[in-house]
Amino acid sequence: MNKIEKITAATSVYERLRQDILNGELQPGRKLLIDFVSDRYGAGLNPVREALNRLSSEGLVERKDQRGFFVPPVSIEGWRELVKTRCWLEGKALEEAIRNGDQAWEERIVVCFHHLSRTPWKLSEEDTSTNPAWEERHRAYHLALIAACGSSILIGICKDLMDQAQRYRFISVASSKRYRNTLEEHRGLMEAVLDRKADLAVERLVEHYQTTLRHIEDQIQPSPKVRFDPSMPS
């Protein structure tokens, strides 16, 4: 295998393994043996190691000294910290985007919302996972909101946190039958952004994420709910 083929193989393993982790195909806490990953994706040992190391650097694979690689566990504490951090960082990014965004930015938000609104959350009532097209358009919508924040570094961090959140969302979808009108939540957020009402937009963003927080808390661990003020680090 030449250098280009190795890079291509490692990228293929990375993308497929990443998707299986995000979608819950590989359960949290599962050990990712090199041979198992190699057999699952039909790749050599070196591309597998490269893919695992790359995912480890992104927080989607956990590397333990002397023990190998694992799918990161999920916990109520980890979920709460993740939502809290998203509220802080995306709230700030949204404020800056509203301050800096131009007409093209506004139009992109409208287009992304339209695509999201036309895409079913699930392909059928029996599905235990979300529609992959919905996931893609949901991500595009939230990224469009903060695209004009002026910081590629901040956007990159927000993307990584979105990936982490997707893992928890799949747990919720698989075990919950409750209906939630996320379309109206997204519409209200868009309207506040387009009206350039930064405080209201951030408030709606935080409430949107806190609603998801409470919803998934019920699936992971039925217990007293924790609310927080995203403007007050703890």
Side-chain angles (χ1 to χ4, degrees):
M1 182 180 291
N2 61 38
K3 185 175 181 180
I4 294 177
E5 289 174 335
K6 287 181 180 179
I7 294 173
T8 302
T11 300
S12 176
V13 175
Y14 162 81
E15 292 175 346
R16 294 168 65 192
L17 177 56
R18 178 180 180 275
Q19 200 60 42
D20 284 348
I21 291 172
L22 292 179
N23 293 350
E25 292 291 332
L26 296 172
Q27 293 296 314
R30 175 166 188 160
K31 187 169 185 177
L32 297 171
L33 296 169
I34 300 293
D35 289 342
F36 164 77
V37 178
S38 177
D39 290 342
R40 183 180 178 91
Y41 302 111
L45 301 184
N46 286 336
V48 166
R49 290 191 182 94
E50 289 180 32
L52 287 169
N53 283 322
R54 182 176 173 186
L55 288 165
S56 176
S57 70
E58 296 174 1
L60 291 177
V61 164
E62 185 177 26
R63 182 173 187 171
K64 299 181 180 180
D65 289 342
Q66 309 302 320
R67 295 184 60 193
F69 297 94
F70 295 80
V71 178
V74 296
S75 68
I76 196 67
E77 294 80 10
W79 173 233
R80 289 168 177 164
E81 181 179 3
L82 175 58
V83 173
K84 180 166 60 175
T85 305
R86 288 191 75 190
C87 287
W88 290 342
L89 297 184
E90 288 189 44
K92 180 59 177 177
L94 188 58
E95 286 181 0
E96 293 299 315
I98 290 172
R99 181 177 296 113
N100 300 326
D102 56 13
Q103 184 176 342
W105 168 72
E106 292 184 356
E107 292 171 353
R108 180 60 182 164
I109 292 171
V110 173
V111 169
C112 286
F113 174 78
H114 174 72
H115 289 163
L116 181 62
S117 70
R118 306 292 287 183
T119 308
W121 181 47
K122 289 185 177 184
L123 294 176
S124 73
E125 288 298 321
E126 291 73 30
D127 278 353
T128 58
S129 62
T130 52
N131 178 1
W134 185 90
E135 285 289 346
E136 180 181 343
R137 292 174 179 181
H138 180 249
R139 180 185 178 88
Y141 168 78
H142 277 280
L143 287 174
L145 292 174
I146 63 173
C149 72
S151 172
S152 60
I153 295 174
L154 180 54
I155 290 174
I157 295 171
C158 290
K159 285 181 178 179
D160 290 342
L161 296 178
M162 287 179 186
D163 289 342
Q164 296 288 345
Q166 184 175 329
R167 297 180 62 225
Y168 284 88
R169 196 161 56 247
F170 267 92
I171 294 172
S172 173
V173 173
S175 58
S176 175
K177 300 296 183 182
R178 290 189 301 171
Y179 173 75
R180 177 182 170 195
N181 193 349
T182 58
L183 181 60
E184 290 308 310
E185 294 176 30
H186 290 123
R187 188 193 308 278
L189 175 55
M190 176 186 68
E191 290 172 349
V193 169
L194 297 180
D195 288 341
R196 304 287 177 150
K197 296 179 179 178
D199 290 345
L200 178 60
V202 172
E203 178 183 326
R204 288 180 176 175
L205 178 70
V206 169
E207 181 55 34
H208 176 59
Y209 286 159
Q210 285 203 353
T211 300
T212 304
L213 167 66
R214 295 188 294 270
H215 188 78
I216 295 179
E217 276 181 331
D218 290 339
Q219 315 307 319
I220 299 176
Q221 173 186 306
S223 63
K225 308 301 185 293
V226 174
R227 291 185 64 84
F228 56 85
D229 180 351
S231 66
M232 297 291 289
S234 59

